[in-house]
Amino acid sequence: MSEFEALDFYLMDELLSDEQRLIRDTVRQFVTEKCLPIIEEHQAAGTFPTDLIGPVAELGMLGANLPEEYGCAGLESSTYGIMMQELERGDSGLRSFVSVQGALCMYPIFEFGSEEQRREWLPRMASGEVIGCFGLTEPDAGSDPGAMRTTAVKDGDDWIINGVKMWITNGTMAKIAIIWAQTDDGIRGFVVPTDLPGFQAIEVKGKYSLRASDTAELVLEDVCVPGDALLPKSGGLRSPLMCLNQARYGIAWGGIGAAQACFDEALRYAKARITFGKPVAQTQLVQELLTEIASEITKAQTLCWRLGELKDAGRARPEQISMAKRNNIEMARNTARRCREILGGNGILDEYQAFRHMVNLESVYTYEGTHQIHTLIVGNALTGLPAFG
Ligand code: TGC
Ligand code: FAD
């Protein structure tokens, strides 16, 4: 198969700086050379490609938009987004790993941590030495994280944490977990080393989706952490939701990458596949599908580009991020399915990427706020009338 070609119908490439183009091409090459040759094996085995952690860290992708003084790349939002787009062209599980490490673990330490916590953890997390996971969701509190039951109770200078967290990405390989818990003072965040007595990470088995990702249930039974495990500037549900803004932003970009992978594959296939004496790409119905897909990818690209500008200007509102996550992941999910269809019977084989992206995107559609929750967030912003309950 010849080199991947991204759809660029509206010449978005012209908007990129030389640095952004270089980073885009570097990550794209990394995905082509290091991720794609091994990803189907991991998908089949249900394992995360841990060999990619070192190279991903070396390329500066962990916490890439956090400041350089903590060992991070200090990139602007659009450049960070482009990285997520390219990674998810490889696999949603790989982008998830990077999102969780950067947006959901390093970001809260940066945003809510003390200077000591920042210096202790961020450089080691940027280098990939310390992997983190983010424990917000519980078996009975997913879309409604405010209903969480995990508690952290003060015991002298220490805290005792009890609870169960569900669906936690990077869960079994993490050295630290950012755990959100109810305290006398509302919801607070804690940096919890995962080797403490009473802490258990149990792999979630039987996944059809995001198989090349480490997903775990975390059980905390009387886990005792010192006072300085508390993220001192965290306070209320607002704090974890601020982390989600960061991750959802990257996911919106990531959806474009997954869609681009499927579109490129389907377009090549449609041009090469002959039925009734001509390429299937030369039929009106397939051209309609390709036109719809290309239009949706192009709209998603323009949405993300503007969102990146707003984010860099400090003006991106949570509901704008929700609109992008909602739109782009629905777009990617539909794209993967349509592309699978264009591949005919071959579309169900692991020689092609569409089916893997298609099943992965089921998770992406649901995590970081389900499609429906983002509908309600945007609906609330439009009407001023919350319809969650
Ligand atoms: P609500 O009363 O609306 O809000 C509580 C407080 O938070 C503020 N707030 C936000 N602040 C910053 N960013 C946001 N996006 C915010 N949304 C709300 C709000 O102003 C309020 O502040 P204050 O100061 O007045 O207290 O809260 P609610 O309980 O009604 O819930 C609202 C809702 C449904 C939107 C929210 O809970 C939600 O987003 N639910 C979805 C949960 C979710 O997305 N979970 C994701 C878990 S992590 C994950 O899936 C990782 S996947 C791996 C990967 O990323 O690859
Ligand atoms: P529920 O909240 O039970 O929702 C079930 C259905 O009801 C959904 O379709 C939902 O949209 C709908 N629904 C719920 N409330 C409403 C409403 N008010 N109006 C209309 N419809 C509604 N969480 C973490 O904390 N950390 C992680 O690292 C993490 N990684 C994940 C990785 C994977 C592979 C998956 C699948 C999930 C992960 N999650 C993680 C959890 C994820 O965020 C939750 O699954 C998600 O928020 C939905 O919660 P739930 O599964 O409990 O569904």
Side-chain angles (χ1 to χ4, degrees):
M1 177 78 85
S2 51
E3 196 76 355
F4 163 74
E5 271 179 55
L7 174 77
D8 189 16
F9 209 71
Y10 267 31
L11 311 182
M12 302 295 288
D13 197 54
E14 290 178 5
L15 300 175
L16 269 51
S17 65
D18 289 345
E19 187 201 26
Q20 287 173 327
R21 209 169 287 119
L22 179 66
I23 290 173
R24 195 264 323 268
D25 291 345
T26 305
V27 182
R28 188 170 288 178
Q29 189 180 352
F30 162 77
V31 164
T32 300
E33 291 177 1
K34 304 283 185 214
C35 170
L36 292 180
I38 61 167
I39 199 65
E40 289 297 350
E41 280 167 43
H42 285 282
Q43 182 80 359
T47 51
F48 176 73
T50 48
D51 289 353
L52 298 184
I53 296 177
V56 159
E58 271 165 35
L59 288 172
M61 288 194 256
L62 302 179
N65 52 353
L66 295 177
E68 291 174 69
E69 63 176 303
Y70 300 107
C72 304
L75 297 181
E76 58 183 6
S77 298
S78 305
T79 317
Y80 169 79
I82 290 164
M83 275 184 162
M84 299 304 112
Q85 169 188 288
E86 294 304 318
L87 280 177
E88 198 144 355
R89 204 257 301 178
D91 192 77
S92 299
L94 182 60
R95 198 271 308 134
S96 281
F97 165 78
V98 173
S99 287
V100 169
Q101 177 81 349
L104 294 182
C105 296
M106 296 171 72
Y107 169 80
I109 292 172
F110 173 72
E111 189 66 31
F112 308 122
S114 63
E115 196 51 36
E116 292 71 32
Q117 287 170 324
R118 288 175 170 191
R119 300 218 172 268
E120 179 178 4
W121 297 113
L122 294 181
R124 288 196 286 153
M125 295 182 82
S127 72
E129 179 196 336
V130 171
I131 302 303
C133 67
F134 177 86
L136 178 66
T137 304
E138 300 185 357
D140 295 319
S143 296
D144 180 15
M148 73 172 68
R149 292 193 196 141
T150 297
T151 55
V153 177
K154 201 107 176 71
D155 181 27
D157 288 340
D158 299 334
W159 291 89
I160 308 295
I161 307 181
N162 277 288
V164 178
K165 297 290 178 181
M166 190 60 198
W167 300 115
I168 307 305
T169 302
N170 300 349
T172 71
M173 63 182 167
K175 280 196 187 159
I176 59 166
I178 305 295
I179 296 292
W180 298 95
Q182 302 278 5
T183 72
D184 281 348
D185 204 13
I187 292 172
R188 309 292 300 270
F190 296 83
V191 184
V192 180
T194 57
D195 59 358
L196 289 178
F199 189 105
Q200 244 190 304
I202 304 157
E203 185 189 349
V204 173
K205 301 232 188 231
K207 289 183 298 177
Y208 280 116
S209 170
L210 225 63
R211 288 182 52 75
S213 177
D214 169 15
T215 314
E217 176 184 7
L218 307 181
V219 181
L220 294 94
E221 281 178 329
D222 290 331
V223 174
C224 177
V225 293
D228 63 7
L230 172 72
L231 291 170
K233 288 179 257 177
S234 67
L237 188 56
R238 169 183 285 274
S239 300
L241 291 176
M242 284 170 65
C243 304
L244 299 185
N245 293 336
Q246 307 303 314
R248 291 166 177 174
Y249 170 77
I251 290 169
W253 279 92
I256 300 170
Q260 289 272 24
C262 297
F263 179 74
D264 179 56
E265 179 178 75
L267 182 59
R268 286 166 197 270
Y269 188 92
K271 285 193 208 165
R273 177 72 179 170
I274 308 294
T275 65
F276 302 99
K278 62 179 183 184
V280 291
Q282 209 179 340
T283 65
Q284 290 182 1
L285 293 180
V286 170
Q287 286 193 5
E288 184 185 32
L289 273 179
L290 292 169
T291 301
E292 278 178 7
I293 295 166
S295 304
E296 291 306 318
I297 290 175
T298 303
K299 285 191 259 177
Q301 285 173 318
T302 55
L303 197 61
C304 268
W305 189 259
R306 177 62 183 150
L307 185 62
E309 288 177 337
L310 289 173
K311 196 160 185 304
D312 277 328
R315 292 174 57 212
R317 298 199 310 268
E319 56 269 25
Q320 291 168 330
I321 296 172
S322 282
M323 182 181 277
K325 193 272 183 185
R326 179 184 183 280
N327 181 79
N328 289 13
I329 300 310
E330 183 180 46
M331 175 282 291
R333 188 191 193 217
N334 289 340
T335 295
R337 205 178 54 239
R338 285 167 160 169
C339 289
R340 203 293 306 154
E341 194 181 324
I342 291 171
L343 298 174
N346 281 325
I348 71 160
L349 295 178
D350 62 6
E351 279 172 45
Y352 295 88
Q353 304 169 59
F355 203 95
R356 176 170 48 81
H357 282 296
M358 188 180 89
V359 290
N360 280 346
L361 287 160
E362 291 302 309
S363 288
V364 185
Y365 190 78
T366 286
Y367 70 32
E368 286 284 358
T370 66
H371 186 77
Q372 292 78 6
I373 288 298
H374 290 295
T375 304
L376 299 178
I377 291 171
V378 176
N380 188 16
L382 294 174
T383 63
L385 301 168
F388 301 104

